[in-house]
Amino acid sequence: MFDKLEEVVARYEELNQMLVSPEVLADSKKMIECNKAINEITEIVEKYKEYKKYVDDIEFIKESFKTEKDPDMKEMLNEELKEAEEKLPSLEEELKILLLPKDKNDDKNVIVEIRGGAGGDEAALFAADLFRMYSRYAERRKWKIEIIEKQDGELNGLKEVAFTIIGLGAYSRLKFESGVHRVQRVPETESSGRIHTSTITVAVLPEVDDIEQVQINPSDLIIDTYRSSGAGGQHVNTTDSAVRITHKPTGIVVTSQDGRSQIKNKEAAMKVLASKLYEMESEAQRKEIESQRRSQVGMGDRSEKIRTYNFPQGRITDHRIKLTLHRLESYLDGDLDEMIDALIAYNQAELLKTVGEQN
C-alpha cells in the first residue's frame, strides 16, 4: 500500500509541475485534464500527509521520552503517544479505501427509470411516491431534475417515469438503487384494511456525456414520432413532437415526450438509448470479472428485490446489506443518506476483501 501511496505522491508533484509549464498553460484542454487529474488524487495525498505526520510525531515522542527526566512530562508524552498510535489504524483504513479502484462513472449524471410492477393502481401510486422521494433527495443535494418521459396512472399514480438527475457525483450516490422495490401497505382503494404487496422497478444508468462515445449505427434505428399525451387544456400537444426510438439489434425501445419540440425529444431519447447501450456493455464486462462482480451489492440487476417499504411498521429494509431503518416518513421525504452511506460502506468493505484475496 505504501509503495502505491508514494507513487501517487510522485504523480501529484509531477502534475503540479506540468500545470505551470508553458506547454500546458498554452493549451486549455490540457490544463483542464491536468486539473482534473490533480483533483482526483488530492484527497489521497492529503490523507497520506496526515498519516506521515502522525508517524513522525510518534518517532519524535519516543525519542523525547528517552531523554526526558521530569515525571509529569513523561506522563504527558505517554498520553500523546497513545493518542497518535490510536489514530494510525483508522487512517490506514481510510487510505486503503481511497486507493480502491474508482468507478469511472461515479461523477456522472444519472438517468433514472421508475416503472410500476405487480400491484396495478397501488404499484402506480408507489411509483409516484418513489419519484417524489428521489426528487426530494435531489433537492436536498441541490441537484437538478429533467423529466424525459412520464406516463400518468389512475389516482395520481405513475405507470412509469424517466428523468435525468444532474449533479456531480449523482451516480456514485444512486447507483445501488437499481432493482425491485417492494411496498407493503393498505392501498387507498382497499376498504377492508388488508395489507397488499406491490412492486416497482427502478433502473439507474450513468448518463453518457457524449453519445458519439457509443457506437450506434443509424440503420439500426427505427424512429417514430407521435402526438404527446398531455394533462389537457393548454398542455395538449397538437403536433407530433413525441419520439420513440427502437434499437433493432437489442430490441431496446426508448421514448421522450416531455420536451416541447421534436428535436429536443429526439436528443433526449438518443441520450437514454446511448446510456442503456453503455450500461449493457458495462454489465457484460462486470460479469466477465467475477471478483469484481462479487463486490457489487446488486447494482444494475433489475430483477433483484433489493428493498422493502413496510408502512404498518414504519420501516425500510435493504435486503442486500440486512439494514432496517425505522423512519419511513422521513425516508420517503428524501432523507436517504443513512441508507446510501451504508451501501457505499458495505461495497467498499467487499472490495477491500477482494483486494486482500488477490494480494
Side-chain angles (χ1 to χ4, degrees):
M1 180 179 79
F2 294 104
D3 288 342
K4 288 181 183 177
L5 288 166
E6 291 295 339
E7 289 174 10
V8 172
V9 170
R11 177 60 176 160
Y12 180 79
E13 292 171 352
E14 179 189 0
L15 286 166
N16 275 287
Q17 289 175 2
M18 288 172 58
L19 194 59
V20 295
S21 68
E23 182 185 356
V24 172
L25 289 171
D27 190 328
S28 59
K29 186 178 179 182
K30 286 184 179 179
M31 187 178 291
I32 291 170
E33 290 174 354
C34 196
N35 272 310
K36 184 180 178 183
I38 289 171
N39 290 335
E40 286 174 353
I41 60 176
T42 295
E43 187 179 2
I44 299 175
V45 172
E46 290 178 350
K47 187 64 66 176
Y48 187 39
K49 284 180 180 177
E50 184 183 358
Y51 176 86
K52 286 169 64 170
K53 179 184 177 300
Y54 276 100
V55 171
D56 291 342
D57 287 349
I58 289 170
E59 188 63 31
F60 176 77
I61 293 168
K62 286 181 177 179
E63 288 299 317
S64 300
F65 196 82
K66 290 177 184 178
T67 57
E68 184 58 57
K69 303 297 183 184
D70 185 272
D72 291 337
M73 282 298 296
K74 279 194 169 186
E75 185 178 347
M76 188 179 72
L77 287 170
N78 262 328
E79 289 176 4
E80 290 178 0
L81 179 62
K82 183 181 177 182
E83 182 182 330
E85 287 179 336
E86 286 177 350
K87 185 71 177 175
L88 284 184
S90 62
L91 284 172
E92 284 183 14
E93 285 304 307
E94 290 178 54
L95 285 168
K96 286 177 185 177
I97 289 170
L98 288 171
L99 283 173
L100 288 173
K102 295 288 187 288
D103 187 331
K104 62 185 177 181
N105 297 316
D106 273 352
D107 289 338
K108 291 186 176 181
N109 302 329
V110 294
I111 293 171
V112 182
E113 296 177 332
I114 301 172
R115 289 187 172 85
D121 290 342
E122 170 60 12
L125 285 169
F126 194 60
D129 289 341
L130 286 188
F131 174 55
R132 179 183 180 276
M133 179 182 81
Y134 291 124
S135 299
R136 291 286 294 119
Y137 183 65
E139 287 174 19
R140 287 169 181 258
R141 300 194 73 89
K142 303 191 185 315
W143 293 339
K144 182 183 176 184
I145 282 186
E146 291 182 355
I147 295 175
I148 300 167
E149 183 194 15
K150 187 167 68 169
Q151 291 188 26
D152 296 327
E154 300 296 326
L155 305 172
N156 296 318
L158 285 174
K159 291 180 181 178
E160 63 179 78
V161 60
F163 54 99
T164 304
I165 296 181
I166 302 166
L168 184 64
Y171 185 72
S172 70
R173 301 295 296 171
L174 294 172
K175 61 185 175 183
F176 299 122
E177 294 299 300
S178 285
V180 175
H181 295 237
R182 181 175 68 173
V183 58
Q184 296 173 326
R185 67 181 176 186
V186 178
E188 294 179 17
T189 54
E190 177 59 61
S191 57
S192 63
R194 290 183 302 140
I195 296 172
H196 284 225
T197 298
S198 304
T199 59
I200 292 87
T201 301
V202 175
V204 179
L205 311 170
E207 184 186 49
V208 175
D209 302 322
D210 182 359
I211 62 172
E212 292 181 2
Q213 295 175 357
V214 181
Q215 291 186 351
I216 302 175
N217 189 335
S219 64
D220 289 336
L221 303 179
I222 300 173
I223 301 176
D224 301 308
T225 58
Y226 58 98
R227 191 158 297 174
S228 299
S229 58
Q234 62 179 335
H235 297 291
V236 171
N237 199 320
T238 57
T239 60
D240 293 341
S241 64
V243 174
R244 179 190 301 110
I245 300 177
T246 303
H247 186 248
K248 290 184 285 186
T250 61
I252 292 174
V253 179
V254 295
T255 58
S256 177
Q257 62 173 353
D258 201 67
R260 296 296 180 186
S261 75
Q262 188 180 118
I263 292 173
K264 286 190 177 298
N265 282 326
K266 183 179 177 182
E267 287 175 353
M270 283 297 293
K271 186 159 277 193
V272 175
L273 175 61
S275 294
K276 283 176 179 277
L277 293 172
Y278 175 83
E279 179 62 12
M280 282 180 64
E281 178 62 27
S282 298
E283 178 64 14
Q285 291 174 3
R286 282 198 291 266
K287 287 181 178 178
E288 287 177 8
I289 307 171
E290 182 61 26
S291 62
Q292 182 178 347
R293 186 61 182 157
R294 286 202 306 271
S295 76
Q296 304 301 317
V297 287
M299 184 179 67
D301 188 348
R302 302 184 196 185
S303 64
E304 180 184 6
K305 181 185 74 179
I306 64 167
R307 195 170 298 145
T308 295
Y309 304 75
N310 185 292
F311 276 71
Q313 297 178 22
R315 61 174 170 82
I316 319 102
T317 299
D318 193 286
H319 304 291
R320 298 163 296 180
I321 59 175
K322 308 295 187 290
L323 174 64
T324 296
L325 304 178
H326 293 276
R327 48 175 189 82
L328 182 59
E329 186 176 343
S330 66
Y331 193 87
L332 289 175
D333 195 44
D335 187 7
L336 311 184
D337 278 331
E338 184 178 358
M339 180 70 78
I340 289 172
D341 288 341
L343 285 161
I344 291 171
Y346 179 89
N347 191 56
Q348 288 173 341
E350 292 300 301
L351 280 170
L352 284 170
K353 287 182 190 176
T354 302
V355 171
E357 290 170 5
Q358 291 173 346
N359 292 340

